[in-house]
């Protein structure tokens, strides 16, 4: 039996099914197929659909497609690819393949594609598309309509049409929708001045924040001279928003930031990013180790105290990271201003008192019923639990605020420091209370 | 001196400045003003700008505006507010004020506003706008253009124009941009069939995933009978994406999910959400407590061992939560399929071996140089460190996968369980190695 088992009836029904499918779904469908069948299915797709499906394929399948396509087919594919999709694909591929592909890029497009390829990773320039429409204030409505229909820009690039002056500097924009529905009005009356804009070398995060703040569907991108050179659309921003948040949490957990996709990053590269944080934890451990050594007399006289160290540290660590996460998140969202940090801290402290009191009480009852230790130890552990939780909220809340004051990234500074400081304080509180209540040391 | 110090020259320049400002920025500017001045500035704004600025104000200022406005002004404001902004505002306000405001809503709008108010929180229905344009397949281009210009829909609602059949069921859509730029083509030729859609009672997260997957700028919302009843646009999705991710991390840290904004949530309500997780930690502590008690002989004979418990637990806890975070994130993003979970686990294990070995070596050197303890203790601690880190990666990676298999939310299950299991294992490893190497117990 032949591996490529073509049944023409099935083929016709497949073709009908493909027509009803979204590009992403076709891509997922192709990924699961055998290579031989995949090639056949791809030849059945209309050119424009093929280009969008190609953009959704993983790197290895893109390579496969490029190697299996004839040169004219490859040129058609590249012509159909939107500039940002083309650049994204090129950035994924090995350099010999990039050279081959650039060869097929139309000469009038090659300059802009080359420029896009050279913007730093995570910059606005590397995210933008060059398919936008900009007109002059003096253009007539029919000039504008002509420019729109001649542009390679897709619907998402056409929500706003930009207005540039004679120096190509952007001075305004209008919505295509307004042009359509307010047909009797002059172009001038629907133009909005002072557009929100970003620059090619801005961080993508800045663009994401502006999209969210101003509820944008697109934003113009300018070079240093305020000349419009590209556009970013809302559908490009979803991933940026998600990545930025995940990055913050990664930093807080000492995982560093990964520029390349996780599965494609090497073991040693991942390890090198995490080792720093774990080394910091080890230095912190020297502190906690010293504290325990200092109070060794207490511990020797009552070894039972050691049994509660893990619980106290876990509770403290968790309470502290809850507070620091909340503060860092609020700061990242720009939801909470500097003055509100204190409000959050105050609230966290009260939450800590409520949670700590309940836990301390439950712990006291539990220990008195279940464990064989003296009442003094029960009270020591419960009191420490309460004080540790409140202290941890204070430390976890204060450190990110302090980090920001010192112009450090709160996410980087908060994670390891909170653990270090909370651990040390919790142990000191524990042994001090033990000394006081049990008269040791 | 009068508190409201009006200088007409200043007023004119203020008016000019306001014209150049974005709505969000005007809202921020108003928030910082004294109430008397605020009222004056607001009367200077054009009606449509005022409505958008109002939507951006915090709850207390919205209340202030409603109380200070005359009835006709209030009606104008409500008429200008987009339906989703109006519903959002109503949901923030106390019920007596909602009744007052609903009174001013045009009777033909009141039904749809009431319906929007009744969708469950976090549902697609509560997020959608009812300002969309849907036409029939048989409509002529001029019919379509007429419907567009008569609709209250804004530019963001007009990116896609939807096609409904005779039963109002949605069957397709076309881009307004295509209507403009492909003027010589028939309406039929630009229609795309089988649109991606969501239902009013779907979770907002589902909509967010579809926006991201299919790079959408808008999505039609249907009732149970597939009839179009609303639209969600990309600018509404930014917050949903961010909230969903923060929610996952909150769950992992045992903070529960907060439906209402943090600063407006009561201390006891916040405390009640966190107490569950901390109680789980306490039960976990019973396990670690038992383990330490069981090996008390080891600890009594070598109290110095206690000094390293905090470091071992911190390293283990951190390594475990790094792995679980990575796996949960990948699962949430649908980036990594079920079969890839094992790949991630395998990679995490190797990262753990590399990181663990380096740390164990550094620790060995550090302890031998700096501490007074025996070589046996140095080796015990270093070996435990290596094994704990590898074990933690395994536990942190496996538990979320297991949670998903058991149809539990990985984020909820992973957090507390990882800490519990890693702590217990780390201690057992520590004491077992100590017994073996030092011949105690």
């Amino acid at each position: 039996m032949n591996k490529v088992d073509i049944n023409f009836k099935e083929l016709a029904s497949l073709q009908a099914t493909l027509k009803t499918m979204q590009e992403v779904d076709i891509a997922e469908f192709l990924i699961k197929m055998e290579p031989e069948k995949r090639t056949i299915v791809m030849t059945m797709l209309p050119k424009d659909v093929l280009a969008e499906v190609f953009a959704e394929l993983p790197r290895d399948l893109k390579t496969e497609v490029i190697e299996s396509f004839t040169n004219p087919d490859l040129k058609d594919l590249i012509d159909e690819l939107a500039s940002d999709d083309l650049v994204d694909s090129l950035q994924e591929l090995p350099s010999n393949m990039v050279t081959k592909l650039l060869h097929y890029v139309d000469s009038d497009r090659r300059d802009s594609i080359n420029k896009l390829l050279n913007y730093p990773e995570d910059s606005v320039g590397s995210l933008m598309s060059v398919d936008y429409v900009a007109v002059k204030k003096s253009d007539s409505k029919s000039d504008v309509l002509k420019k729109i229909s001649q542009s390679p820009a897709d619907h998402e690039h056409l929500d706003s049409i930009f207005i540039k002056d004679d120096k190509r500097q952007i001075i305004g924009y209008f919505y295509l929708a307004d042009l359509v529905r307010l047909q009797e009005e002059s172009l001038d009356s629907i133009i909005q001045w002072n557009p929100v804009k970003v620059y090619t070398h801005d961080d993508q995060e800045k663009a994401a924040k502006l999209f969210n703040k101003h509820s944008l569907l697109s934003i113009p991108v300018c070079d240093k001279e305020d000349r419009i050179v590209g556009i970013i659309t809302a559908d490009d921003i979803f991933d940026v928003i998600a990545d930025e948040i995940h990055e913050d949490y990664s930093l807080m957990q000492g995982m560093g930031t990964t520029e390349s996709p996780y599965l494609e990053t090497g073991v040693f590269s991942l390890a090198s990013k995490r080792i720093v944080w774990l080394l910091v934890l080890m230095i912190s451990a020297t502190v906690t180790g010293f504290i325990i050594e200092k109070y060794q007399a207490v511990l020797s006289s009552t070894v039972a105290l050691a049994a509660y160290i893990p619980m106290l540290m876990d509770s403290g660590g968790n309470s502290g990271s809850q507070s620091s996460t909340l503060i860092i998140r609020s700061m990242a969202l720009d939801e909470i201003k500097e003055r509100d940090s204190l409000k959050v801290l105050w609230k966290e402290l009260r939450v800590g008192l409520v949670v700590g009191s309940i836990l301390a009480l439950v712990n006291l009852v539990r220990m008195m019923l279940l464990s064989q230790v003296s009442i003094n130890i029960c009270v020591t552990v419960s009191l420490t639990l309460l004080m540790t939780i409140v202290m941890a909220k204070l430390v976890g809340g204060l450190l990110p605020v302090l980090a920001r004051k010192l112009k450090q990234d709160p996410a980087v500074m908060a994670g390891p420091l909170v653990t270090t400081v909370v651990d040390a304080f919790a142990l000191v509180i524990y042994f001090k209370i033990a000394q006081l209540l049990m008269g040791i040391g």
Side-chain angles (χ1 to χ4, degrees), chain A:
Chain A
M1 204 174 110
N2 196 319
K3 230 184 169 184
V4 189
D5 196 12
I6 302 176
N7 174 323
F8 283 94
K9 232 181 194 168
E10 270 178 25
L11 219 59
S13 93
L14 176 64
Q15 198 143 30
T17 314
L18 285 173
K19 270 192 190 148
T20 70
M21 285 168 76
Q22 303 288 329
E23 285 84 358
V24 198
D25 299 320
I26 299 180
E28 281 178 5
F29 175 66
L30 287 172
I31 291 169
K32 291 184 200 130
M33 284 189 139
E34 291 160 45
E36 295 88 349
K37 289 197 182 166
R38 188 152 52 220
T39 317
I40 298 174
V41 174
M42 293 187 83
T43 57
M44 289 162 61
L45 298 171
K47 276 183 194 174
D48 54 333
V49 178
L50 178 64
E52 292 196 40
V53 169
F54 176 82
E56 300 286 345
L57 291 177
R59 190 172 61 170
D60 51 335
L61 289 199
K62 279 185 180 148
T63 315
E64 185 193 295
V65 169
I66 293 164
E67 282 168 347
S68 68
F69 268 34
T70 63
N71 292 354
D73 283 346
L74 213 49
K75 173 137 185 54
D76 280 350
L77 174 64
I78 288 169
D79 283 347
E80 281 291 339
L81 273 173
S83 62
D84 48 350
D85 285 340
L86 177 55
V87 170
D88 285 348
S89 301
L90 290 174
Q91 275 164 339
E92 280 181 294
L93 297 169
S95 62
N96 60 332
M97 210 158 257
V98 174
T99 321
K100 181 180 172 189
L101 288 185
L102 274 177
H103 185 71
Y104 296 114
V105 176
D106 264 354
S107 53
D108 52 335
R109 254 180 117 192
R110 207 173 299 154
D111 260 8
S112 64
I113 296 294
N114 260 319
K115 232 184 206 165
L116 287 177
L117 280 172
N118 286 320
Y119 286 111
E121 204 160 11
D122 287 333
S123 72
V124 159
S126 74
L127 186 69
M128 75 184 190
S129 162
V130 292
D131 300 330
Y132 60 89
V133 176
V135 300
K136 286 187 189 160
K137 209 187 130 182
S138 54
D139 280 347
S140 70
K141 273 193 189 179
S142 63
D143 289 339
V144 172
L145 288 173
K146 204 171 148 196
K147 280 192 184 165
I148 291 173
S149 49
Q150 284 170 350
S151 157
D154 256 336
H155 76 101
E156 67 265 28
H157 305 121
L158 292 172
D159 172 67
S160 297
I161 309 294
F162 304 104
I163 313 286
K164 55 185 178 184
D165 63 12
D166 294 334
K167 292 177 199 148
R168 265 182 59 207
Q169 286 179 332
I170 181 162
I171 50 172
Y173 67 98
F174 62 86
Y175 296 120
L176 181 61
D178 286 343
L179 188 71
V180 173
R181 61 184 183 157
L182 307 170
Q183 283 178 324
E184 60 288 358
E185 302 206 22
S186 72
L187 197 58
D188 212 50
S189 69
I190 61 170
I191 292 178
Q192 322 232 12
W193 306 103
N194 304 295
V196 179
K197 62 194 172 193
V198 282
Y199 295 89
T200 48
H201 282 79
D202 281 341
D203 196 291
Q204 295 181 3
E205 191 176 3
K206 189 186 164 193
K209 281 191 174 169
L210 288 173
F211 266 91
N212 198 5
K213 183 176 176 188
H214 296 284
S215 298
L216 303 174
L217 291 192
S218 67
I219 197 168
V221 181
C222 299
D223 63 12
K224 281 174 198 151
E225 280 81 38
D226 275 319
R227 290 178 303 212
I228 180 164
V229 293
I231 185 173
I232 294 180
T233 52
D235 54 312
D236 297 322
I237 286 296
F238 305 138
D239 276 339
V240 177
I241 293 178
D243 288 347
E244 293 295 339
I245 300 175
H246 285 305
E247 201 173 88
D248 273 357
Y249 284 100
S250 290
L251 286 174
M252 279 189 253
Q253 292 194 303
M255 290 193 281
T257 59
T258 26
E259 317 263 280
S260 46
Y262 174 76
L263 282 176
E264 290 164 24
T265 313
V267 168
F268 284 93
S269 155
L270 286 171
S272 71
K273 283 191 175 143
R274 300 195 196 161
I275 200 101
V276 182
W277 204 91
L278 285 160
L279 283 171
V280 172
L281 271 181
M282 194 125 89
I283 297 167
S284 122
T286 317
V287 179
T288 52
F290 276 140
I291 293 171
I292 293 184
E293 273 170 27
K294 196 186 153 201
Y295 291 95
Q296 214 160 33
V298 184
L299 213 50
S300 308
S301 74
T302 329
V303 181
L305 282 176
Y308 303 97
I309 291 180
M311 186 222 11
L312 292 171
M313 295 192 40
D314 280 348
S315 304
N318 183 247
S319 303
S321 65
Q322 285 180 342
S323 300
S324 56
T325 304
L326 267 171
I327 300 249
I328 291 169
R329 182 203 309 186
S330 316
M331 296 195 310
L333 292 177
D334 280 338
E335 247 180 29
I336 290 189
K337 311 282 160 215
E338 200 116 358
R339 56 159 196 262
D340 288 329
S341 309
L342 282 176
K343 274 193 215 165
V344 175
L345 209 59
W346 171 228
K347 183 162 267 179
E348 284 297 294
L349 258 179
R350 284 176 295 158
V351 174
L353 266 173
V354 173
V355 171
S357 305
I358 297 175
L359 279 175
L361 267 176
V362 174
N363 183 63
L364 191 65
V365 173
R366 175 186 76 113
M367 281 180 72
M368 284 171 68
L369 291 179
L370 295 177
S371 72
Q372 255 82 78
V373 297
S374 72
I375 176 93
N376 272 346
I377 294 186
C378 297
V379 175
T380 301
V381 173
S382 302
L383 255 182
T384 309
L385 187 58
L386 168 59
M387 290 179 67
T388 297
I389 287 176
V390 174
M391 173 274 297
K393 297 269 169 210
L394 204 61
V395 171
L398 272 178
L399 283 182
V401 178
L402 209 68
R404 187 157 72 165
K405 284 239 186 258
L406 298 173
K407 311 263 178 232
Q408 298 294 313
D409 185 339
V412 180
M413 241 183 99
L417 259 182
V418 169
T419 314
T420 312
V421 177
V422 167
D423 280 0
F425 272 131
L427 286 172
V428 172
I429 294 173
Y430 192 35
F431 291 123
K432 278 281 172 209
I433 295 182
Q435 281 182 325
L436 279 172
L437 284 187
M438 303 197 270
I440 335 164

